[in-house]
Amino acid sequence: MTSRELTGFLPLAERAGDPARRRLSDLAWRIGFGAIGWPWLLASLSGGRKADKRALLDELGLPHDALPHLGSWKADVGFLRHIVREIARLRPAQVVELGAGASTLIAARALALHGGGRLTSFDQHGGFADATRTWLADHGLKADLRHAPLTSESEDWPGRWYALDDLPDRIDLLIIDGPPWSVHPLVRGAADSLFARLSPNAVVLLDDAARPGERLVARRWRQRWPHIDFRLMHDGTKGTLVGRRRDMTVPVANDNEGAGGWRHLGRAAAIAALISTGWIARGALGEFPQAAQASPFLDEAAASHRAGLLRQNMASQVESAMLNTDEIRRSTGIVLPRFPGNWQVNDVQLFPTPDSPAIAVSIVTPAGEQLTFFADRAETPAGARPLLARRADDIIAYWEAGDMAYALTGRAPSRRIMTLAAQITPRA
């Protein structure tokens, strides 16, 4: 529910058509989760770094003023990058979006560049749907934008849900950016009514996934849909939940019956009381934000180095020394930096990770040092200045550039690895 115009912090008012008891119940939930979630709501005012937004628009061939206002109720750059990345990887035929706006523009442009699939977008505000349709037309883009008022009920989830019609039988990518939490903190959970339509290898993207309400939604989705792997990504200001479908079966019995609502409300009130005294009940609502962990990324970087060394010693393994950075960027969304001209690239491979493929490049320096450069989207404690880590005999220098994480792995002394890492320069 966003347009290209500047939007306020509070969402548009909805018509009050619910019974008084229902309105009071939803109000109690909003007050309770407002007390808990205000840090996440404040963080959502930032749409991400301007440099990252410009890089995203450059990647899509859109002018820098195409996204004039991010933040508030708009998607952030991290979420938009996930949309572009998945469309480039999946080449989806059918994309369904709940909540129109900036994500609609980005998804429509990514589809135009990668296969030309169909985008069907629903929004509860007819005016926003019309404004978004004009926004897309100004950039030569099209989508099937529909007004879907919040008049439906979900048997499994609280709050009002979209009046959806004429949905595709098979959905390859499901983008969930609405309804807003002000309807009910758990309202987006009802999006799982569409999960049975997901095609093999389909992907679900949930925006604002770091908020307490969405964390409860994610917890229950994991229980109800064990054949979808859900992973919370912290590569934006608001967090993105990425779900990847495996073999879909019917969900198990839901856990929102009987006194479940009162139980959650009591939990929310208790946590709000704890917060008022300065404590956060870590874990009470699931996985709360934690310090960035580099371990999985570093383990994967070290594993890619060992695999690269093994491949080079096996005559049966065919190496590919062709480094096509443009193709890698288009296909995976991974941006590789520039290596020194006197470095020899011996092998370039996709490296599987739990989220999506990373890139591993086997390199030999003029001094004969065997290195592996590893690139993926990951959150680490590092910034632009490299940090050092060790995995067995491997020394790893790792750093971040925008939403990319890089690692250079070798068995040279730490100081030498840092010197070599400093010779790698960002790509303009």
Side-chain angles (χ1 to χ4, degrees):
M1 49 169 290
T2 62
S3 72
R4 83 177 102 187
E5 309 304 327
L6 186 64
T7 53
F9 181 67
L10 297 177
L12 293 183
E14 299 285 344
R15 62 183 180 87
D18 295 329
R21 181 177 177 182
R22 167 71 171 274
R23 293 199 301 272
L24 288 175
S25 173
D26 290 354
L27 177 61
W29 275 89
R30 292 197 295 269
I31 292 174
F33 274 79
I36 299 168
W38 64 266
W40 290 271
L41 295 175
L42 288 179
S44 71
L45 292 176
S46 170
R49 299 192 312 171
K50 292 182 180 179
D52 293 337
K53 182 173 74 170
R54 289 194 298 268
L56 174 65
L57 294 171
D58 288 342
E59 179 181 339
L60 295 173
L62 289 170
H64 286 176
D65 62 354
L67 295 175
H69 303 289
L70 289 183
S72 185
W73 298 104
K74 293 179 171 63
D76 65 15
V77 175
F79 184 64
L80 298 178
R81 277 203 172 277
H82 276 289
I83 293 174
V84 174
R85 185 181 188 183
E86 296 302 335
I87 289 176
R89 187 180 67 86
L90 292 170
R91 304 294 175 104
Q94 294 285 353
V95 178
V96 171
E97 178 188 47
L98 305 175
S103 54
T104 315
L105 175 74
I106 295 302
R109 178 57 178 167
L111 285 170
L113 294 176
H114 303 292
R118 181 185 179 188
L119 172 61
T120 305
S121 181
F122 298 91
D123 198 278
Q124 69 266 34
H125 297 293
F128 270 120
D130 294 339
T132 304
R133 190 179 295 108
T134 302
W135 190 4
L136 267 62
D138 289 345
H139 294 281
L141 300 170
K142 293 182 179 180
D144 184 3
L145 280 148
R146 303 183 193 174
H147 177 211
L150 300 177
T151 57
S152 296
E153 299 281 344
S154 170
E155 295 182 358
D156 298 333
W157 297 91
R160 288 162 289 123
W161 187 243
Y162 296 106
L164 303 176
D165 61 351
D166 194 22
L167 286 161
D169 292 332
R170 290 161 63 91
I171 300 173
D172 303 309
L173 177 62
L174 177 60
I175 302 170
I176 307 168
D177 195 17
W181 79 278
S182 58
V183 174
H184 193 284
L186 308 183
V187 67
R188 293 185 183 180
D192 73 352
S193 62
L194 305 183
F195 286 2
R197 297 175 180 263
L198 295 177
S199 62
N201 302 314
V203 170
V204 177
L205 297 177
L206 172 66
D207 194 18
D208 303 294
R211 295 188 309 205
E214 276 72 14
R215 288 174 183 272
L216 281 177
V217 166
R219 170 186 283 185
R220 186 170 161 208
W221 280 355
R222 290 185 179 101
Q223 295 172 347
R224 299 192 71 211
W225 303 93
H227 299 287
I228 303 179
D229 295 319
F230 290 103
R231 184 179 181 186
L232 178 59
M233 308 299 292
H234 292 286
D235 50 359
T237 59
K238 299 186 286 185
T240 301
L241 186 73
V242 181
R244 301 190 184 280
R245 181 196 186 279
R246 295 181 290 172
D247 292 332
M248 184 72 69
T249 61
V250 295
V252 299
N254 75 76
D255 60 355
N256 197 35
E257 299 173 352
W262 290 107
R263 182 174 63 253
H264 289 317
L265 182 59
R267 182 184 298 173
I271 294 173
L274 287 171
I275 290 176
S276 68
T277 62
W279 293 89
I280 295 179
R282 180 177 177 181
L285 289 179
E287 44 186 351
F288 268 72
Q290 303 174 10
Q293 299 295 318
S295 292
F297 175 74
L298 295 176
D299 292 342
E300 290 161 358
S304 72
H305 181 61
R306 293 191 296 269
L309 294 177
L310 188 61
R311 285 175 58 83
Q312 294 177 48
N313 291 323
M314 296 177 63
S316 63
Q317 295 296 302
V318 179
E319 297 174 354
S320 173
M322 180 179 294
L323 180 59
N324 188 327
T325 57
D326 290 336
E327 181 184 49
I328 289 172
R329 183 171 183 170
R330 288 195 305 270
S331 300
T332 67
I334 293 176
V335 180
L336 294 178
R338 297 184 185 277
F339 303 126
N342 59 356
W343 287 14
Q344 177 183 334
V345 174
N346 285 344
D347 195 17
V348 181
Q349 297 288 336
L350 290 173
F351 188 88
T353 69
D355 181 34
S356 60
I359 298 294
V361 183
S362 297
I363 295 168
V364 177
T365 69
E369 298 148 315
Q370 292 182 306
L371 308 171
T372 299
F373 181 82
F374 187 76
D376 195 6
R377 281 193 172 91
E379 187 178 1
T380 76
R385 184 176 181 178
L387 298 178
L388 277 174
R390 178 187 290 272
R391 291 293 186 273
D393 295 330
D394 297 325
I395 303 298
I396 307 171
Y398 65 103
W399 65 100
E400 293 186 5
D403 63 345
M404 302 302 307
Y406 299 135
L408 186 67
T409 306
R411 294 181 177 174
S414 299
R415 182 173 296 182
R416 176 59 177 168
I417 295 294
M418 290 290 278
T419 299
L420 293 169
Q423 298 178 29
I424 299 173
T425 58
R427 187 170 297 273

PDB file of all heavy atoms in Angstrom, residues 37 41 72 117 139 149 180 192 232 257 269 282 319 347 357:
ATOM      1  N   GLY A  37       6.905  -3.528  19.505  1.00  0.00           N
ATOM      2  CA  GLY A  37       7.555  -3.398  18.195  1.00  0.00           C
ATOM      3  C   GLY A  37       7.963  -2.017  17.786  1.00  0.00           C
ATOM      4  O   GLY A  37       8.377  -1.833  16.638  1.00  0.00           O
ATOM      5  N   LEU A  41       9.357  -0.503  14.104  1.00  0.00           N
ATOM      6  CA  LEU A  41       8.588   0.480  13.355  1.00  0.00           C
ATOM      7  C   LEU A  41       9.437   1.721  13.057  1.00  0.00           C
ATOM      8  O   LEU A  41       9.372   2.290  11.968  1.00  0.00           O
ATOM      9  CB  LEU A  41       7.330   0.870  14.128  1.00  0.00           C
ATOM     10  CG  LEU A  41       6.305  -0.256  14.338  1.00  0.00           C
ATOM     11  CD1 LEU A  41       5.169   0.227  15.217  1.00  0.00           C
ATOM     12  CD2 LEU A  41       5.791  -0.760  13.006  1.00  0.00           C
ATOM     13  N   SER A  72       9.183   4.303   5.658  1.00  0.00           N
ATOM     14  CA  SER A  72       7.826   4.349   6.166  1.00  0.00           C
ATOM     15  C   SER A  72       7.123   3.056   5.776  1.00  0.00           C
ATOM     16  O   SER A  72       7.582   1.983   6.096  1.00  0.00           O
ATOM     17  CB  SER A  72       7.089   5.593   5.658  1.00  0.00           C
ATOM     18  OG  SER A  72       5.813   5.690   6.240  1.00  0.00           O
ATOM     19  N   GLY A 117       7.490 -12.742 -17.230  1.00  0.00           N
ATOM     20  CA  GLY A 117       6.337 -13.388 -16.613  1.00  0.00           C
ATOM     21  C   GLY A 117       5.253 -12.385 -16.252  1.00  0.00           C
ATOM     22  O   GLY A 117       5.421 -11.172 -16.367  1.00  0.00           O
ATOM     23  N   HIS A 139       7.108   4.367 -16.673  1.00  0.00           N
ATOM     24  CA  HIS A 139       8.377   3.701 -16.964  1.00  0.00           C
ATOM     25  C   HIS A 139       8.213   2.599 -18.007  1.00  0.00           C
ATOM     26  O   HIS A 139       9.097   1.740 -18.155  1.00  0.00           O
ATOM     27  CB  HIS A 139       8.976   3.121 -15.677  1.00  0.00           C
ATOM     28  CG  HIS A 139       9.376   4.159 -14.681  1.00  0.00           C
ATOM     29  ND1 HIS A 139      10.547   4.883 -14.775  1.00  0.00           N
ATOM     30  CD2 HIS A 139       8.742   4.621 -13.572  1.00  0.00           C
ATOM     31  CE1 HIS A 139      10.626   5.725 -13.764  1.00  0.00           C
ATOM     32  NE2 HIS A 139       9.546   5.600 -13.022  1.00  0.00           N
ATOM     33  N   PRO A 149     -10.319  -5.063  -1.535  1.00  0.00           N
ATOM     34  CA  PRO A 149     -10.615  -4.528  -0.193  1.00  0.00           C
ATOM     35  C   PRO A 149     -10.496  -5.604   0.876  1.00  0.00           C
ATOM     36  O   PRO A 149     -10.636  -6.800   0.603  1.00  0.00           O
ATOM     37  CB  PRO A 149     -12.057  -4.022  -0.337  1.00  0.00           C
ATOM     38  CG  PRO A 149     -12.622  -4.775  -1.499  1.00  0.00           C
ATOM     39  CD  PRO A 149     -11.486  -5.015  -2.437  1.00  0.00           C
ATOM     40  N   PRO A 180      -1.140  -3.986   6.234  1.00  0.00           N
ATOM     41  CA  PRO A 180      -0.268  -3.408   7.263  1.00  0.00           C
ATOM     42  C   PRO A 180      -0.560  -3.997   8.634  1.00  0.00           C
ATOM     43  O   PRO A 180      -1.660  -4.503   8.900  1.00  0.00           O
ATOM     44  CB  PRO A 180      -0.627  -1.917   7.212  1.00  0.00           C
ATOM     45  CG  PRO A 180      -2.026  -1.883   6.709  1.00  0.00           C
ATOM     46  CD  PRO A 180      -2.128  -3.013   5.723  1.00  0.00           C
ATOM     47  N   ASP A 192      -0.853 -17.673   3.901  1.00  0.00           N
ATOM     48  CA  ASP A 192      -0.618 -19.101   3.675  1.00  0.00           C
ATOM     49  C   ASP A 192      -1.813 -19.789   3.027  1.00  0.00           C
ATOM     50  O   ASP A 192      -1.723 -20.957   2.640  1.00  0.00           O
ATOM     51  CB  ASP A 192      -0.188 -19.803   4.965  1.00  0.00           C
ATOM     52  CG  ASP A 192      -1.312 -19.983   5.980  1.00  0.00           C
ATOM     53  OD1 ASP A 192      -2.406 -19.428   5.772  1.00  0.00           O
ATOM     54  OD2 ASP A 192      -1.080 -20.669   6.995  1.00  0.00           O
ATOM     55  N   LEU A 232      15.019 -16.302   7.876  1.00  0.00           N
ATOM     56  CA  LEU A 232      14.955 -14.856   8.088  1.00  0.00           C
ATOM     57  C   LEU A 232      16.276 -14.224   7.681  1.00  0.00           C
ATOM     58  O   LEU A 232      17.340 -14.595   8.175  1.00  0.00           O
ATOM     59  CB  LEU A 232      14.662 -14.557   9.557  1.00  0.00           C
ATOM     60  CG  LEU A 232      14.617 -13.076   9.946  1.00  0.00           C
ATOM     61  CD1 LEU A 232      13.546 -12.332   9.156  1.00  0.00           C
ATOM     62  CD2 LEU A 232      14.374 -12.928  11.446  1.00  0.00           C
ATOM     63  N   GLU A 257      -6.748 -22.140  17.642  1.00  0.00           N
ATOM     64  CA  GLU A 257      -8.100 -22.415  18.078  1.00  0.00           C
ATOM     65  C   GLU A 257      -8.235 -22.197  19.580  1.00  0.00           C
ATOM     66  O   GLU A 257      -7.274 -22.092  20.317  1.00  0.00           O
ATOM     67  CB  GLU A 257      -8.468 -23.867  17.736  1.00  0.00           C
ATOM     68  CG  GLU A 257      -8.426 -24.134  16.232  1.00  0.00           C
ATOM     69  CD  GLU A 257      -8.624 -25.597  15.929  1.00  0.00           C
ATOM     70  OE1 GLU A 257      -8.640 -26.403  16.886  1.00  0.00           O
ATOM     71  OE2 GLU A 257      -8.764 -25.947  14.749  1.00  0.00           O
ATOM     72  N   ALA A 269       1.164  -8.733  26.533  1.00  0.00           N
ATOM     73  CA  ALA A 269       1.093  -7.804  27.666  1.00  0.00           C
ATOM     74  C   ALA A 269       2.270  -8.008  28.609  1.00  0.00           C
ATOM     75  O   ALA A 269       2.853  -7.053  29.127  1.00  0.00           O
ATOM     76  CB  ALA A 269      -0.229  -8.000  28.412  1.00  0.00           C
ATOM     77  N   ARG A 282      13.930 -11.987  25.516  1.00  0.00           N
ATOM     78  CA  ARG A 282      14.532 -12.621  24.352  1.00  0.00           C
ATOM     79  C   ARG A 282      14.020 -14.059  24.204  1.00  0.00           C
ATOM     80  O   ARG A 282      14.045 -14.853  25.133  1.00  0.00           O
ATOM     81  CB  ARG A 282      16.046 -12.664  24.514  1.00  0.00           C
ATOM     82  CG  ARG A 282      16.747 -13.314  23.336  1.00  0.00           C
ATOM     83  CD  ARG A 282      18.235 -13.261  23.546  1.00  0.00           C
ATOM     84  NE  ARG A 282      18.915 -13.949  22.467  1.00  0.00           N
ATOM     85  CZ  ARG A 282      20.230 -14.071  22.408  1.00  0.00           C
ATOM     86  NH1 ARG A 282      20.986 -13.552  23.346  1.00  0.00           N
ATOM     87  NH2 ARG A 282      20.785 -14.712  21.414  1.00  0.00           N
ATOM     88  N   GLU A 319      37.346 -27.932 -14.953  1.00  0.00           N
ATOM     89  CA  GLU A 319      37.347 -26.584 -14.408  1.00  0.00           C
ATOM     90  C   GLU A 319      36.895 -25.587 -15.474  1.00  0.00           C
ATOM     91  O   GLU A 319      37.066 -25.814 -16.672  1.00  0.00           O
ATOM     92  CB  GLU A 319      38.746 -26.210 -13.908  1.00  0.00           C
ATOM     93  CG  GLU A 319      39.218 -27.095 -12.769  1.00  0.00           C
ATOM     94  CD  GLU A 319      40.655 -26.813 -12.385  1.00  0.00           C
ATOM     95  OE1 GLU A 319      41.303 -26.012 -13.087  1.00  0.00           O
ATOM     96  OE2 GLU A 319      41.132 -27.396 -11.401  1.00  0.00           O
ATOM     97  N   ASP A 347      39.340 -21.343 -11.976  1.00  0.00           N
ATOM     98  CA  ASP A 347      38.048 -22.026 -11.898  1.00  0.00           C
ATOM     99  C   ASP A 347      37.006 -21.067 -11.349  1.00  0.00           C
ATOM    100  O   ASP A 347      37.291 -20.278 -10.434  1.00  0.00           O
ATOM    101  CB  ASP A 347      38.151 -23.253 -10.990  1.00  0.00           C
ATOM    102  CG  ASP A 347      36.964 -24.204 -11.136  1.00  0.00           C
ATOM    103  OD1 ASP A 347      36.239 -24.101 -12.139  1.00  0.00           O
ATOM    104  OD2 ASP A 347      36.790 -25.056 -10.239  1.00  0.00           O
ATOM    105  N   PRO A 357      22.583 -20.017  -4.563  1.00  0.00           N
ATOM    106  CA  PRO A 357      23.981 -20.251  -4.930  1.00  0.00           C
ATOM    107  C   PRO A 357      24.876 -19.038  -4.678  1.00  0.00           C
ATOM    108  O   PRO A 357      24.503 -17.903  -4.922  1.00  0.00           O
ATOM    109  CB  PRO A 357      23.904 -20.567  -6.422  1.00  0.00           C
ATOM    110  CG  PRO A 357      22.516 -21.053  -6.642  1.00  0.00           C
ATOM    111  CD  PRO A 357      21.666 -20.259  -5.682  1.00  0.00           C
TER     112      PRO A 357
END
